[in-house]
Amino acid sequence: MSEFLSPRTLAEALKLRSAHPDFTVLSGGTDLMVRATERDYPVGTIDVFSLKEMRGVCESDAALSIGASTPYADLLRSDVVLTMLPNLHAAIREIGAVQIQERGTIGGNIGTSSPVGDTLPCLLALDAEVELRSQNNTRRVAYSDFCTGYRKTQLGADELITAIHIPRPAKGTRLFWRKIGTRRAQAISKVMGAASFRIEEGVVSHARIALGAVADRPRRVEAAEQRIQGEKPSERLATEVAAIVRSDVKPIDDVRSTASYRLDVAVNIVRRFVLELV
Amino acid sequence: MDFGGFGQFMSVQVPEFVADGVRWAAMTNSTIRDLDKAVPRVDGADKVTGKALYVDDLKVDGALYGRTVRSHVPHAKLKRISLDPDFDWSDVVVVTADDITGKNVVLLIEEDQPALVPEGGIIRHVDEPVALVAASDPRRAQAAMEHVRLEVEELPAVFTIEESVAKKVLLRGDDNVYKRFEILRGDDVEQALASADYVIEGTYRTGAQEQMYIEPQGMIAEWTDAGAVRLVGSLQCPYYVHKAMRELLQLDEDKVIVTQAVTGGGFGGKEEYPSMLAAHVALLAKKAKRPVRMVYDRVEDVRATTKRHPAPTRHRIGVNKDGTIVAVDVDVLIDGGAYLTLSPVVLSRGVLHSVGPYNVPHVRVVGRAMATNLPPHGAFRGFGAPQTTFAYERQIEKAAQRVGMSSLEFRRKNMLREGDVTCTGQTLKYSVGSAQVLDAVEQQIGQAPPKGSAAPPQFASVKRGKGLAFYYHGAGFTGSGEDRLKGRASVAVNAGGKFEVRSTSTDIGQGTFTIFAQLASAALDVDIKDVEMIQPSTEKAPDSGPTVASRTTMVVGSVVQKAGAQLKQRLLAFAEESGVQSGDVAELAKRYAEKHGELEETVTYHSPPGVKWDDATYRGDAYPCYGWAACYVEVAVDDDTHEVTVERCIHAVDVGHAIHPVLVKGQIEGGTLQALGWALWESVVYRNGRVANPTMTDCIIPTSIEAPEMETLVVEVPYPHGPHGAKGVGEIPMDGPAAAVANAVADALGQPFDEVPLLPEVICRQVSATAAE
Ligand SMILES: Cc1cc2nc3c(=O)[nH]c(=O)nc-3n(C[C@H](O)[C@H](O)[C@H](O)COP(=O)(O)OP(=O)(O)OC[C@H]3O[C@@H](n4cnc5c(N)ncnc54)[C@H](O)[C@@H]3O)c2cc1C
C-alpha cells in the first residue's frame, strides 16, 4: 500500500518532504492523475493542495506573489492578476476548462514544466522567480534557470515550490499572450507566445519574448529581444524580429502538429505582438 | 462568393417560431395526442439520475475481466503463440483460435475476418485480436495479456489507397478490390464532357473519423446450463450479433440471446464491431465456465474499432455557359482496411450519392473499395455519402464560379425537383424538399445572426468567407435492402394489461424509444404513459433490422404504428364481442389481459408500392425517398494561425415530418457539429498502420466552444409512406457541412481547398506553397 500524507502546515509539509524524499508531491493532481494509469503507484504522496501558507495572492509595491497551491480559478477571480498581469490572466483563462481550473495550480504547472505548460512562457516574459523551500533553506530562482530540460527542473528532493514572485511591470509596459491549441478548450498547445515590452518615449526600453511548445522547454528568444531593444516599433521592425524568430526556433513534428506549422505560427504571432506596438 | 438574390422576393412564408430555430414550417399539424410534441424522453429521467446501467455498471456475480492480446504488427504470418513460462497462469483463462469449435469468423457480409488469428494464419492489421485472457482481477488480466508472446514473420504492408491501387502488395484477389460498382446514365460520358463549354476536375480527400461515442465498447457473456449464451452489450444491432454468434459457436437460434444494455452513443461505430467483442467474451466465458465482461478503455477502442472510410474522390463535371450541367464523371475510392466488413455497402451509398441532387443527363460513376493493412473502416453516420458529398459540392461551387452564377442560382437551376429523374433513373414522385431547403436558408441569411457564436480572438487579423452546400440523403436501406430485411416489430398488451412496444431497434441516444412510444400511443389512442418500451433483446422481440441508415423512425416506426393500429382494432373487436362498454383503449387492454392474458400484433415491413431496383445494373429506385438539406456557413480564417472559426451556421433539413421537434433538432445540431468536427479538427493519425493519437486529448473532437450558435430550420415535405410523413433525419446533417466549410474557406482565402480536415496545418502548408509560386 502506498502512504498518503496530508500535512496541515507548511512546516509539517517541509518536515515530511525531507523525511520522504522519494514521495510524490501532489497539488491539484491534474497532471499526476492523468499519468496515473501509465505509471507505477507512487511510493507515497504528500498532499500540499490545501496548505494555507501556499495559497493566495499577495501584492507589494515591487511584486505580485502567488502561492504555489492557488488554483487557477482563484487567480481568474483576482482583480490584481487581471490588471497587473493581463497576459498571465489570459493564459490561465485558456487552461483546460472550468473543472481543471478549479483544481489545477500554477505550482503544478511549474512542477511539471512541460514544454506545453501554458503559464510558463508568461513566467519567462515576466521575469518570474520561483520560491523554493526546504526545512532549513529558502531560495529564489529565476524561472528561466529553474527549468533545465524536457520536464526537468532544479527542484531539490527535500524542496517544495512554495510561491512565484513576479516583478510589477514598469510603467509603459505592454503585455501579450497568444495560445494556439488543438482546439479552443481542453486543448494542449501547439504553439504559444508571451511578450512584455516597455515603451519609453516611443522606444522599446525592455523586451521579453517567450515561446512554448517549440523546444524541449519553454524558451525566450533573446536574439529577437535584443533586436527590438532601443528601437522604435515599426512594421519593418516587426518583420525583422520575425525573421530572427524564424532562424532561431527549431520546433518538431508530433501527432499534434508539424514543425513547419509551429515555426510559421511562432513567427507570425511574434510579428503580430510587435505590430500591435506600432 | 456571390450570394446574388438576397433581399429579393421571398416565396416562403416565415412562421413566427423560426426565431428560436426549432422548426421551419409546420406543414402537418397533427392533433393526435403526444405527437409533434417535445414530450420528455422516456429514458431521460433514468439517464440524468444515474439509474440507467451501462455495461460497465451491471453487476454480474463472479464475472471475470477479459483482455485482448493484439498483433502489434500490420501484416505478418503468425507462426506461434506462446505463454511466458515464468508467469503464473494458474488463475488466468487463455483462449486462442484453437478453442473455437465452430467457425472462426465474424460473420457480416463475407466470412473473411477471423475472431482470432490462428497459428499459421495471417495478421492483417496492427490491432488484430490473436488471443484472449481473463482473470478475476483486471490487473491480473492486464499482466497476463502482456505475457502472451507472439512469434511472427513480418510481411510488407499497404497503408494507403494509392499503394493498394498500385498493387504494391496483393492483399486480396489480383487487384486488392473488395467491391466495384458502376453507374451509367445517358450517352458516352467522355463525349458529353468534350461537348461541354467547361470541364472542371478535382480530387477531393476526406480523412478517417473516429465515432468517439462517450461510452467505449463493452460486452458481457454468460452461458446457461441449457447451453445457451446470453450476451449483453453496448450495441446498435442485436440481430447482427445474434447471426454472427450462431455461426461462430454453431448454435441454434434460441441458444444465442443478445440484449442491448443502455448504450452511450454509437454513430455507426457499434453496428459491426460488437460482434467481435461478443465472440471474445463468449469464447472466454465458455472456457472459464463463468461470466466474462470486457470493456475497452479509450485507447484500445480508438485503435481497434472501425472509423469512417478515408476516401479520395476524383470528380469531373461538364457545364455549359448558360449554367446547365452536361455530364458528370466520378471515380470513388474508399479505404476498406484489412477486412471487407461493411465496405461494399458503404461504397454503394457513396457511389449512389456521388452525383448529388442535380439533373445530370450523362453520368459515369465507378466506385472501388480497396484493401489495405489498416484496421477495417466501417459504418459512421452518413455511410459513404459525406465523402462523395464533399467532392460534388466543391465541384458545384467551382462550376458556379466558372459560369459566373451565384451559389444559390446555379444550384437552383440544376437541382432535382419533383418529377425529375436521378442518376439511377429514379423518378422522384414525392417528398422532394429541394427548393424549400434552399429557400429556407436564403431567407434565414437575411435575418440578423444570433448572438453568442464562436468568435476569433479580439486582436486577430482574419479573412472572412461564406460557403453553401446542398445535398440529399437516401433514407432507409439501399435498393431492395428493406425487402430482403423484412423488418418486424410488435405492439402488445402484456400480461399486466399494459402496452408494450417490442422491437430490436435500439436507442443509442437518438431517441428511438421516445419516438416509438409516441407512435404507438398515437396509433392506439392512449396516453404515452400507458406504453412501455422493452430493452431490445433477441429473446423478446422480432428482428426489426439494424438501427442504421436513417431507417428507424421511417421504416420500423411505420411498422410500430401499424401494429399499434391493428392492436387497437383487436381490442375494439374484443369490446364488441364481450360487451364491454368502454371506448378507452387502455381500459380495454386491462380487461383483455385479465380475461385472456397477452395479446401481440406483429407487422412486417414492405417497401412502398412501385419501388423497383435492379441490383445487377444498379438502376431503379435507389431509395424509397430522400431527405434534402442545405447548409450555409460563414467563417473567419486567422491570418497568423490559419485557424478557422465558424461564425455562423444555418442548416435547413427536410425531414418529412418532425414527430418530436426537439429530438429532430438535436439530431440536426449534433450531426452538424460532428460534420464541422470532421471538416476542421478531427484527424486520425496513423503511424505504421496504427493510430498514433488514440486519446480524447489528441484525437480532437469539437467542444461547445467551437460550436457556432446553430440556426436550425426544420423543413417538412411529408413522405406519404412514413409515419405521419416522417422520413430519415439521422445521417443527412453529417453529409454537407464539410463542403460548406471548404467552400467558405476557399472564398475567404481566394484559393481552392479540397480536403478535410482543414487543419490549420493544412491551410498553412497550402497558403505557403501558393505564396512561394
Ligand atoms: C483535461 C485537462 C486539461 C488541461 N489543460 C491544460 C492547459 O490547457 N494548459 C496547461 O498548461 N495545462 C493543462 N493541463 C495540465 C495541468 O492541469 C496543469 O499543468 C496544472 O497546472 C497542473 O497543476 P496541478 O496542481 O494539478 O499539478 P499536480 O498534478 O498536482 O502536480 C504536477 C507536478 O508538479 C509537482 N508539484 C506540484 N506542486 C508542487 C509543489 N508545491 N512543489 C513541488 N512540486 C510540486 C508534482 O509532484 C507533479 O510532478 C490539463 C490537464 C487536464 C487533465
Side-chain angles (χ1 to χ4, degrees):
Chain A
M1 238 358 248
S2 162
E3 219 175 328
F4 192 92
L5 306 175
S6 307
R8 273 159 306 164
T9 63
L10 177 58
E12 211 182 309
L14 292 171
K15 202 169 146 195
L16 290 170
R17 177 78 169 138
S18 90
H20 302 284
D22 53 341
F23 279 25
T24 300
V25 179
L26 174 79
S27 184
T30 59
D31 272 326
L32 286 172
M33 296 305 287
V34 172
R35 308 195 112 206
T37 51
E38 301 165 13
R39 271 196 212 157
D40 290 336
Y41 230 65
V43 187
T45 304
I46 304 173
D47 179 8
V48 300
F49 185 64
S50 312
L51 292 179
K52 277 203 206 72
E53 299 94 321
M54 282 168 56
R55 284 219 172 190
V57 173
C58 177
E59 185 186 3
S60 71
D61 285 349
L64 188 75
S65 302
I66 299 172
S69 293
T70 315
Y72 291 128
D74 289 2
L75 297 175
L76 289 176
R77 283 188 285 262
S78 156
D79 283 342
V80 51
V81 175
L82 178 64
T83 50
M84 193 194 286
L85 309 171
N87 61 344
L88 181 64
H89 193 273
I92 292 172
R93 203 173 48 220
E94 290 181 279
I95 288 182
V98 281
Q99 299 92 329
I100 291 299
Q101 290 168 0
E102 290 293 333
R103 283 295 298 187
T105 67
I106 198 162
N109 214 230
I110 293 172
T112 300
S113 275
S114 143
V116 294
D118 278 339
T119 67
L120 309 178
C122 284
L123 299 185
L124 288 176
L126 293 166
D127 290 324
E129 285 184 339
V130 183
E131 179 186 290
L132 305 167
R133 281 212 212 180
S134 62
Q135 246 188 317
N136 22 18
N137 190 31
T138 300
R139 60 183 181 128
R140 283 190 182 195
V141 186
Y143 183 74
S144 50
D145 295 328
F146 180 70
C147 179
T148 56
Y150 179 73
R151 290 173 170 262
K152 275 212 194 87
T153 69
Q154 275 200 23
L155 182 74
D158 61 343
E159 283 179 320
L160 288 177
I161 303 164
T162 44
I164 293 87
H165 302 285
I166 300 170
R168 179 184 291 277
K171 230 175 143 214
T173 301
R174 300 270 312 266
L175 300 176
F176 295 97
W177 166 252
R178 184 79 200 259
K179 167 175 176 169
I180 295 89
T182 49
R183 66 185 157 212
R184 285 293 196 63
Q186 303 288 29
I188 296 184
S189 292
K190 299 200 252 197
V191 188
M192 68 284 210
S196 164
F197 301 115
R198 183 169 188 205
I199 317 283
E200 286 177 291
E201 287 161 14
V203 167
V204 180
S205 61
H206 170 92
R208 287 284 181 274
I209 298 170
L211 296 169
V214 297
D216 66 345
R217 69 195 92 168
R219 59 161 291 191
R220 278 170 49 188
V221 193
E222 274 109 346
E225 294 171 356
Q226 278 152 22
R227 180 67 193 78
I228 195 172
Q229 197 111 12
E231 297 285 336
K232 199 167 163 296
S234 67
E235 214 164 299
R236 210 177 124 210
L237 182 66
T239 308
E240 283 179 31
V241 171
I244 293 173
V245 174
R246 184 171 290 284
S247 61
D248 200 46
V249 173
K250 307 250 170 321
I252 57 161
D253 283 328
D254 64 16
V255 293
R256 287 180 204 124
S257 191
T258 61
S260 70
Y261 175 77
R262 288 189 162 108
L263 182 59
D264 275 359
V265 171
V267 167
N268 290 345
I269 57 177
V270 171
R271 186 172 156 272
R272 183 71 53 193
F273 291 161
V274 180
L275 278 179
E276 286 286 304
L277 300 175
V278 180
Chain B
M1 184 175 67
D2 171 22
F3 269 82
F6 294 160
Q8 290 176 357
F9 171 72
M10 313 274 181
S11 57
V12 181
Q13 209 187 327
V14 187
E16 46 188 307
F17 31 81
V18 81
D20 73 3
V22 173
R23 53 202 321 207
W24 170 244
M27 295 201 184
T28 33
N29 200 351
S30 175
T31 51
I32 306 169
R33 56 172 132 180
D34 295 327
L35 267 187
D36 308 341
K37 285 185 209 147
V39 296
R41 290 182 65 121
V42 298
D43 53 343
D46 279 1
K47 280 180 175 165
V48 295
T49 57
K51 249 169 92 183
L53 299 180
Y54 296 78
V55 173
D56 210 23
D57 306 322
L58 294 169
K59 270 221 167 67
V60 185
D61 287 338
L64 303 180
Y65 291 86
R67 293 299 309 258
T68 311
V69 179
R70 298 183 185 276
S71 45
H72 295 287
V73 287
H75 193 199
K77 185 168 177 191
L78 177 59
K79 294 174 73 179
R80 217 167 86 83
I81 304 170
S82 60
L83 304 183
D84 181 352
D86 295 332
F87 186 81
D88 173 13
W89 295 95
S90 60
D91 60 346
V92 179
V93 180
V94 182
V95 162
T96 66
D98 289 344
D99 294 294
I100 300 172
T101 48
K103 224 171 181 182
N104 185 7
V105 293
V106 182
L107 180 66
L108 198 57
I109 293 173
E110 276 198 7
E111 300 198 345
D112 59 337
Q113 183 168 217
L116 292 167
V117 179
E119 280 185 338
I122 300 291
I123 289 165
R124 293 182 180 276
H125 68 86
V126 81
D127 277 295
E128 189 151 18
V130 171
L132 307 164
V133 296
S136 52
D137 177 323
R139 270 171 295 188
R140 279 289 293 160
Q142 170 75 22
M145 182 187 99
E146 287 162 10
H147 286 86
V148 176
R149 304 270 152 84
L150 307 181
E151 216 178 292
V152 300
E153 188 183 306
E154 284 205 59
L155 300 167
V158 172
F159 298 131
T160 65
I161 298 184
E162 289 75 14
E163 288 172 353
S164 177
V165 171
K167 302 190 229 179
K168 183 189 146 196
V169 178
L170 269 188
L171 299 174
R172 175 164 168 121
D174 56 10
D175 56 4
N176 287 336
V177 175
Y178 284 129
K179 186 75 188 179
R180 184 179 186 281
F181 288 113
E182 193 175 67
I183 298 176
L184 294 172
R185 179 173 195 223
D187 307 334
D188 180 74
V189 88
E190 293 298 342
Q191 264 175 24
L193 284 171
S195 77
D197 292 334
Y198 310 111
V199 176
I200 293 137
E201 176 172 350
T203 298
Y204 301 88
R205 291 172 191 282
T206 60
Q209 186 184 21
E210 161 59 32
Q211 290 88 357
M212 211 59 98
Y213 28 68
I214 205 77
E215 181 208 17
Q217 307 233 4
M219 190 81 65
I220 300 167
E222 182 166 15
W223 289 78
T224 68
D225 295 339
V229 61
R230 287 188 166 276
L231 292 148
V232 178
S234 179
L235 51 87
Q236 288 179 230
C237 313
Y239 275 95
Y240 275 9
V241 177
H242 187 260
K243 187 174 167 196
M245 290 310 97
R246 287 188 59 198
E247 186 83 356
L248 176 89
L249 304 164
Q250 296 288 312
L251 291 175
D252 290 339
E253 209 172 327
D254 60 338
K255 290 284 192 281
V256 178
I257 301 152
V258 183
T259 305
Q260 184 211 12
V262 179
T263 297
F267 308 109
K270 293 173 185 169
E271 175 169 354
E272 49 187 302
Y273 205 85
S275 294
M276 180 67 88
L277 261 141
H280 294 166
V281 282
L283 291 168
L284 279 168
K286 192 172 182 192
K287 191 156 182 187
K289 300 192 168 59
R290 280 170 67 175
V292 172
R293 179 199 325 256
M294 202 182 261
V295 178
Y296 286 176
D297 67 14
R298 183 64 60 184
V299 170
E300 183 170 23
D301 193 298
V302 174
R303 282 200 161 135
T305 70
T306 57
K307 301 185 195 351
R308 186 184 301 288
H309 290 74
T313 305
R314 199 178 65 104
H315 196 289
R316 292 195 297 162
I317 186 168
V319 283
N320 280 343
K321 283 183 180 143
D322 68 353
T324 44
I325 300 174
V326 179
V328 162
D329 177 32
V330 199
D331 186 5
V332 181
L333 281 170
I334 66 171
D335 180 344
Y339 293 101
L340 179 125
T341 62
L342 289 167
S343 291
V345 200
V346 173
L347 177 68
S348 156
R349 191 172 276 271
V351 161
L352 287 167
H353 285 77
S354 67
V355 179
Y358 299 103
N359 280 300
V360 185
H362 310 291
V363 173
R364 176 175 66 195
V365 183
V366 176
R368 283 169 294 165
M370 304 303 300
T372 64
N373 291 111
L374 294 183
H377 295 110
F380 193 150
R381 193 179 209 169
F383 213 71
Q387 289 94 318
T388 51
T389 303
F390 179 71
Y392 73 70
E393 275 305 277
R394 283 291 297 132
Q395 283 281 97
I396 290 290
E397 192 56 42
K398 289 178 186 177
Q401 268 168 15
R402 192 74 188 80
V403 300
M405 287 171 82
S406 84
S407 304
L408 274 166
E409 196 186 354
F410 185 74
R411 286 173 174 87
R412 282 202 177 112
K413 183 174 174 68
N414 290 290
M415 72 187 174
L416 294 168
R417 298 170 191 264
E418 201 171 290
D420 285 344
V421 180
T422 70
C423 64
T424 61
Q426 172 174 9
T427 303
L428 298 170
K429 288 179 246 151
Y430 37 65
S431 196
V432 179
S434 51
Q436 287 88 331
V437 294
L438 284 173
D439 290 350
V441 163
E442 180 175 28
Q443 187 119 42
Q444 185 65 20
I445 295 171
Q447 309 284 321
K451 292 200 174 69
S453 258
Q458 266 170 3
F459 67 87
S461 151
V462 299
K463 291 192 179 63
R464 292 197 154 83
K466 300 166 180 176
L468 180 73
F470 167 60
Y471 37 100
Y472 66 165
H473 192 98
F477 264 35
T478 304
S480 43
E482 293 292 351
D483 290 320
R484 274 199 301 268
L485 212 61
K486 297 190 176 59
R488 284 173 300 148
S490 315
V491 178
V493 174
N494 65 21
K498 279 264 193 184
F499 293 106
E500 219 172 70
V501 177
R502 298 169 180 171
S503 95
T504 44
S505 292
T506 52
D507 197 315
I508 49 176
Q510 83 284 47
T512 302
F513 291 176
T514 307
I515 299 281
F516 282 9
Q518 281 178 292
L519 289 173
S521 72
L524 288 159
D525 195 18
V526 300
D527 197 276
I528 194 166
K529 291 191 190 70
D530 293 323
V531 179
E532 291 173 359
M533 301 298 306
I534 62 144
Q535 196 62 27
S537 171
T538 59
E539 186 180 35
K540 294 192 180 134
D543 187 355
S544 311
T547 302
V548 302
S550 310
R551 66 183 286 279
T552 300
T553 297
M554 180 179 102
V555 171
V556 189
S558 75
V559 170
V560 167
Q561 189 189 21
K562 265 193 203 126
Q566 287 180 16
L567 188 65
K568 180 181 162 195
Q569 289 313 314
R570 294 272 303 266
L571 290 171
L572 291 176
F574 157 75
E576 212 169 284
E577 281 161 25
S578 50
V580 180
Q581 297 294 318
S582 173
D584 179 350
V585 184
E587 180 59 31
L588 291 177
K590 277 199 200 82
R591 298 278 190 89
Y592 184 95
E594 278 160 19
K595 207 160 170 191
H596 302 295
E598 275 212 15
L599 178 64
E600 185 180 78
E601 278 292 318
T602 303
V603 172
T604 302
Y605 182 77
H606 295 289
S607 283
V611 172
K612 284 201 182 61
W613 175 253
D614 183 350
D615 266 322
T617 59
Y618 248 55
R619 295 203 62 74
D621 301 319
Y623 300 95
C625 72
Y626 297 81
W628 304 81
C631 180
Y632 166 85
V633 300
E634 291 177 4
V635 303
V637 188
D638 192 309
D639 290 332
D640 294 330
T641 68
H642 314 289
E643 292 167 297
V644 177
T645 304
V646 180
E647 297 184 300
R648 196 167 182 196
C649 179
I650 300 171
H651 209 166
V653 184
D654 166 23
V655 303
H657 177 67
I659 288 167
H660 192 299
V662 169
L663 284 176
V664 163
K665 192 185 169 203
Q667 284 298 301
I668 297 172
E669 297 194 348
T672 306
L673 189 57
Q674 203 161 33
L676 294 178
W678 187 51
L680 290 171
W681 297 281
E682 300 189 31
S683 166
V684 181
V685 180
Y686 292 95
R687 297 266 156 86
N688 257 327
R690 176 165 233 217
V691 178
N693 56 343
T695 60
M696 286 180 117
T697 310
D698 290 332
C699 201
I700 296 299
I701 59 169
T703 71
S704 56
I705 295 188
E706 280 75 27
E709 203 53 46
M710 305 223 182
E711 294 162 76
T712 302
L713 310 172
V714 178
V715 173
E716 299 184 302
V717 183
Y719 167 49
H721 304 289
H724 304 279
K727 53 189 179 186
V729 61
E731 292 171 287
I732 187 167
M734 180 73 222
D735 291 353
V741 167
N743 287 342
V745 173
D747 181 43
L749 301 182
Q751 52 178 293
F753 286 88
D754 296 340
E755 65 178 283
V756 289
L758 278 175
L759 298 171
E761 284 81 358
V762 171
I763 298 176
C764 179
R765 193 183 61 215
Q766 187 177 315
V767 168
S768 312
T770 319
E773 268 166 25

